Amino acid sequence: MFDSGFGGLTVARALIDLMPNEDLVYVGDTGRYPYGPRDLSEVREFALEITNHLVRTHDVKVVVIACNTASAAALDELQQITPVPVIGVIEPGAAALLDATRNGRVGVIGTVGTIGSGAYQRAVASHGREIELSCAACPGFVEFVERGETDSDQVHVLAQRLLAPLVDADIDSLLLGCTHYPFLARTISDVMGRDVVLVDSADATAFRVRQLLIDAGTTQSGSSAGAHRFESSGDVEAFRGLGRQLLGPELDEVTALSWPE
Ligand code: DGL
């Protein structure tokens, strides 16, 4: 699995908890984060490069794009050209959002790239339900998480400004459509109010991966714990320090990656 940085660790946590026997390779592309403000064609190139690396170097049986921006930019293409199944986070997240809503008024927040791509608008529409969807890009949120600053006054002030249209839209459920955002859940919930259910794609994505492995008959049998490997294209010590705080003890060693390989 991969993300631009620490965000995908929210999905890694769900995968490890649901499938503790499976081996996991996580690539955090911190040398090139953030993906959100970049052109989608550039993010697509990064996603192809990392997926190639996971398949060729690690011989993975499934690739999880644990990043909404990269899912929006590259899921369709990767599913066509990759010799193993590729799963993104957008469709599982949209399905979880629609399960959560009672009044049919929902919100999605994400990076500029994700929201601008229209991927969530399409994913929600594909369910054919009568839904009022409000979307907002939240530039700056990812940078706060990457700095390990998840509940400062500054991030609170930014959240108040960026989320104001969603507060006004009277939604009952809000999808955190960027895998970094669950780390800001307390701040986001303070701003949105306790009545708004926050939904993220981590559990829904982990369940999809498990179902896919069950259907393919490729789940890891036995009771030994899976091996968890972490790679970063940025500062590996910084990745280890903050990553361990965000994920937990499974994040032990981090290997350096550089592009092109
Ligand atoms: N975590 C990523 C996502 O879900 C993107 C963060 C970034 O801007 O790099 O979109």
Side-chain angles (χ1 to χ4, degrees):
M1 62 194 301
F2 68 93
D3 177 49
S4 63
F6 296 110
L9 295 177
T10 54
V11 185
R13 182 72 269 152
L15 276 171
I16 293 169
D17 290 344
L18 191 64
M19 291 168 280
N21 299 340
E22 298 292 343
D23 295 342
L24 175 76
V25 184
Y26 182 100
V27 172
D29 198 8
T30 37
R32 302 189 294 202
Y33 110 95
Y35 283 1
R38 292 180 188 269
D39 211 68
L40 285 184
S41 60
E42 188 178 24
V43 176
R44 189 176 304 126
E45 289 305 312
F46 296 168
L48 296 185
E49 190 172 26
I50 299 170
T51 299
N52 256 331
H53 165 74
L54 288 170
V55 171
R56 292 211 185 123
T57 311
H58 296 290
D59 192 25
V60 297
K61 57 187 173 186
V62 56
V63 174
V64 180
I65 311 179
C67 172
N68 291 262
T69 315
S71 298
L75 178 65
D76 292 346
E77 186 173 346
L78 283 174
Q79 284 180 328
Q80 281 167 24
I81 64 174
T82 310
V84 298
V86 180
I87 290 189
V89 285
I90 289 181
E91 172 44 38
L97 178 66
L98 296 188
D99 277 349
T101 185
R102 294 287 162 263
N103 71 8
R105 281 193 299 280
V106 301
V108 176
I109 52 175
T111 65
V112 169
T114 299
I115 300 302
S117 74
Y120 271 109
Q121 292 85 334
R122 288 192 292 279
V124 167
S126 74
H127 287 257
R129 280 177 51 184
E130 200 142 305
I131 292 288
E132 221 175 279
L133 170 65
S134 306
C135 293
C138 295
F141 275 11
V142 166
E143 287 82 347
F144 274 104
V145 173
E146 291 283 323
R147 287 201 297 271
E149 205 182 317
T150 52
D151 57 5
S152 64
D153 288 347
Q154 284 88 337
V155 73
H156 201 276
V157 168
L158 180 65
Q160 276 177 318
R161 182 163 62 75
L162 295 173
L163 300 176
L166 296 172
V167 173
D168 293 344
D170 195 25
I171 58 174
D172 72 351
S173 314
L174 175 64
L175 178 67
L176 310 182
C178 168
T179 53
H180 281 71
Y181 296 177
F183 294 124
L184 301 174
R186 183 178 303 182
T187 298
I188 293 169
S189 181
D190 281 350
V191 172
M192 293 306 301
R194 300 286 163 201
D195 293 341
V196 175
V197 178
L198 299 188
V199 179
D200 72 58
S201 53
D203 286 339
T205 303
F207 279 110
R208 293 254 173 129
V209 174
R210 185 173 70 166
Q211 196 55 52
L212 191 141
L213 297 181
I214 291 171
D215 292 346
T218 55
T219 47
Q220 184 98 323
S221 52
S223 58
S224 57
H228 306 127
R229 190 188 167 106
F230 297 86
E231 299 181 338
S232 164
S233 58
D235 179 336
V236 287
E237 270 319 302
F239 193 89
R240 184 176 182 278
L242 182 56
R244 198 174 166 86
Q245 226 172 292
L246 295 173
L247 179 84
E250 291 87 354
L251 202 158
D252 194 17
E253 260 178 58
V254 182
T255 311
L257 261 186
S258 52
W259 313 112
E261 287 196 281

